[in-house]
Amino acid sequence: MYRIGVDVGGTFTDFVMVNTEGGPTAFHKVPSTPDDPSRAISSGIVEMLELNAVSPEDVGYVGHGTTVATNMVIERRGVPTGLLTTKGFRDVLAIGRQTRPSLFDWSVRKPGELVERHRRVEVDERLDKSGTVLAIPDLDAVEKLVVQLRDSGVKAVAIGFLHSYRNPEHERAVRDLIRRVAPELYVSVSSEVVAEFREYERFSTTVLNAYVGPHTQKYLRRLREKIAACGIRVEPLTFHSNGGLLPVQTVEELPVLTCLSGPAAGVIGSARIGAEIGETEIITFDVGGTSTDVSLITGGRAQFTSSRLVAGHPVRMPMVDIHVIGAGGGSIARLDDAGALKVGPTSAGAMPGPISYLRGGTEVTLTDANIVLGRLNPVALLEGRMKVDRGLAYAAIRSQIADPLGISVEDAAHGVISIATANMSRAIRSVSIEHGHDLAAFTLFAFGGAGPLHAADVAEECGLNKIVVPQEPGTLCARGVLLSDLSRDYVRTALIHVNGESWAELVALGAELSTAGHAWLETEAIPDAAKELLFTLDARYRGQSHYIPVPLDALGDGMLAAFASKFHRAHADQFGYSLEGRDIEVVNVRLKAVCHVRKGETVVPAQGISLGAARLDTRQVYLGPERGWIHTPIYRRALLPAGVLFEGPAIVEEMSGTTVILPRQTAELDGFGNIHITLQR
């Protein structure tokens, strides 16, 4: 059986195919189609199957990561959305929190609400904080409100009532009414999206889910149709932000789960590969066409968070903790009004793309700078499949940057790379040094189409001593999809002061979540799959406003002491102290239901004979004003032998990426085909 992993990026769509019975792993890459991402997915799958002489009937698994939902929020391309909320809470989304992350920056503007005020309507209903009914909604009045919203052009409705996480009865009654009165509307219910307290974050997440729901639904249905038209008989799975896969039907109901779908797959893949080679302390460095995504892996485990902002809007969902900045191969370089050189966050994207890609691009990008300096192949990329034009990029850098600044084209292009390096380095420090971690103890795991291209510069600037570049780094997020299991997350707010008597309430909540988790796992008819339930308690000392997650092997009677010990230790690890005499409060009970699937081998061991055989050519590469143009050997990665050390400067080319090794750096392939780069200080 063949398994296919797909990652849809802003510039390219990546593919990895593995045979569970053994054999070589196939890697493929095609330009993305932002107007309809499913076109690139289906055409890329067909190309990869034909190139490898694989029949569609032999494909038993297709998983894909996508940022379709996130891009809709960023670009404000969702549908007109309405909100039904408790009387008196119409403006919760507009008021938000009092946090001001950019207090002294007058240029910062709060993003506009996704639901206009005239489409945020109040329902006269009320529950108290324990879920007891204080006022029953008048469904006849609600019906009139729903009709008004529909007639105003609304295509989706979010329902968010106060304290519905305790008692979803009112939300469900209104949901059923909408499905009866206006079945064409997409409905998103807060108690089904995120059953947690704190109405602002819950309402925001529910509105986001409704805002992107109809378009995501259409995209996934087109994807299913096109994959079926390819002759593949299985339904595709979708990667979600918490590091697992979900059936398409679940994602159609909860598209907000995919907000960090693609980048999260890269982090999970890095952790799995790191475990194979004995690397447990990792900083993932994923540079694509539009963004740089960095994350921390400690003790072999990815870091997770329960909330983050997506285009300025809070999303309350468990997800891999990833820091994203607008710096990628397509990031546009320009002079600002004061004549200073800036790089990003605006990107040329897949269309028109960099100037050198010959697709009509007119603005200089980071990729153009790399091509002009010889760091990227100045003739063709993707092993010759994609022609590029260095001359066009050179002329554009001269006219747009070099001449206005009165410097050489080489220095202008190197300035673009230096600014991008500084931006990327700041992102790495934000997830490491700013949280008390020593960078010298970590390995930089470089992937994405441009990650290995910039890793050596970033490592030098940050003080990192080691870099690992996985095989076909530009497709690692797709590979991460193949290295992941099916999973779904459940949560219930508890707000329980923990003691010997109240522990039974938490166990009962855990049993309720277990029932839901088992029911979902039973729907996943995967033969021989191991199924597992993983609990986490969000806890804090009484009186605190913040909380920390405490993973548990199980949630049962007699486990209070073990939980308390874990919590004190976790608090000390995160904040440097613990208060063992202070009472503990459990805020939320979380469950992750996991269906472990057979993955197959996704690496091709190094098969090269000698460095001489792997050396394709030499070319002039500009490595900065101090080093100048250097005659640099170019190696083909597939021909590099394992265990043979070679020194920089050197460039290693492969289909999905280019690795730059600087002077005073050495490189060597391990038995799994990963490049290990060591910095000599």
Side-chain angles (χ1 to χ4, degrees), residues 504-575:
E505 296 180 52
L506 292 172
V507 173
L509 270 178
E512 179 185 331
L513 293 177
S514 295
T515 300
H518 280 300
W520 178 75
L521 287 172
E522 288 303 314
T523 66
E524 301 308 313
I526 297 178
D528 303 323
K531 298 174 181 180
E532 184 179 19
L533 299 180
L534 304 172
F535 283 97
T536 298
L537 300 185
D538 292 338
R540 63 190 179 189
Y541 291 117
R542 291 199 78 182
Q544 289 180 328
S545 61
H546 58 271
Y547 52 79
I548 57 176
V550 181
L552 294 177
D553 296 329
L555 182 56
D557 297 329
M559 296 189 64
L560 173 57
F563 157 72
S565 175
K566 272 194 166 187
F567 169 72
H568 293 310
R569 191 161 56 247
H571 197 281
D573 289 343
Q574 185 157 341
F575 299 107

Side-chain angles (χ1 to χ4, degrees), residues 13-88:
T13 297
D14 308 320
F15 304 83
V16 177
M17 182 171 66
V18 62
N19 186 348
T20 56
E21 306 302 324
T25 299
F27 302 94
H28 194 56
K29 205 174 185 78
V30 300
S32 294
T33 50
D35 60 309
D36 179 7
S38 65
R39 285 197 292 115
I41 295 175
S42 59
S43 63
I45 287 177
V46 169
E47 287 179 18
M48 185 169 61
L49 292 177
E50 290 176 351
L51 287 170
N52 293 275
V54 173
S55 170
E57 290 81 8
D58 293 332
V59 176
Y61 175 101
V62 177
H64 91 298
T66 177
T67 53
V68 166
T70 308
N71 293 340
M72 268 189 272
V73 179
I74 293 171
E75 298 167 17
R76 307 284 293 204
R77 290 189 292 104
V79 300
T81 302
L83 171 65
L84 294 171
T85 190
T86 303
K87 185 177 181 180

Side-chain angles (χ1 to χ4, degrees), residues 235-253:
E235 290 273 308
L237 300 169
T238 302
F239 200 86
H240 63 82
S241 305
N242 201 26
L245 290 142
L246 284 169
V248 168
Q249 295 89 336
T250 303
V251 179
E252 287 181 359
E253 297 171 5

Side-chain angles (χ1 to χ4, degrees), residues 2 13 18 50 188 246 255 282 284 308 381 389 401 430 471 509 539 558:
Y2 288 87
T13 297
V18 62
E50 290 176 351
S188 182
L246 284 169
I282 293 171
T284 64
R308 69 170 296 129
L381 302 175
D389 190 323
I401 300 173
S430 72
Q471 199 174 47
L509 270 178

Side-chain angles (χ1 to χ4, degrees), residues 456-503:
D457 295 293
V458 168
E460 279 194 341
E461 180 154 328
C462 289
L464 287 154
N465 297 318
K466 188 175 180 182
I467 304 165
V468 170
V469 181
Q471 199 174 47
E472 292 295 351
T475 63
L476 183 65
C477 289
R479 186 173 164 190
V481 170
L482 292 183
L483 292 170
S484 302
D485 297 304
L486 274 73
S487 68
R488 183 168 179 180
D489 296 279
Y490 299 85
V491 62
R492 293 288 185 276
T493 288
L495 294 174
I496 292 174
H497 169 211
V498 177
N499 55 40
E501 295 180 2
S502 64
W503 185 255

Side-chain angles (χ1 to χ4, degrees), residues 665-679:
Q665 297 178 356
T666 59
E668 180 181 0
L669 250 68
D670 65 21
F672 295 96
N674 303 293
I675 300 176
H676 295 249
I677 302 171
T678 304
L679 282 69

Side-chain angles (χ1 to χ4, degrees), residues 343-473:
V343 181
T346 308
S347 173
M351 292 298 292
I355 294 170
S356 52
Y357 281 10
L358 302 172
R359 293 183 189 146
T362 58
E363 296 179 285
V364 172
T365 66
L366 183 57
T367 293
D368 293 316
N370 277 297
I371 285 175
V372 163
L373 298 184
R375 293 160 61 102
L376 277 174
N377 192 311
V379 177
L381 302 175
L382 302 182
E383 292 188 329
R385 287 194 293 119
M386 191 172 103
K387 302 299 180 185
V388 297
D389 190 323
R390 180 181 182 273
L392 283 178
Y394 188 96
I397 292 175
R398 167 176 280 169
S399 62
Q400 295 179 28
I401 300 173
D403 287 350
L405 292 178
I407 59 178
S408 69
V409 173
E410 290 84 355
D411 287 341
H414 189 264
V416 171
I417 292 171
S418 297
I419 291 170
T421 298
N423 293 339
M424 295 168 182
S425 298
R426 276 197 297 273
I428 287 174
R429 294 187 187 102
S430 72
V431 302
S432 55
I433 293 174
E434 293 179 15
H435 290 272
H437 296 283
D438 180 9
L439 272 174
F442 284 84
T443 295
L444 189 66
F445 212 86
F447 57 97
L453 189 63
H454 295 278
D457 295 293
V458 168
E460 279 194 341
E461 180 154 328
C462 289
L464 287 154
N465 297 318
K466 188 175 180 182
I467 304 165
V468 170
V469 181
Q471 199 174 47
E472 292 295 351

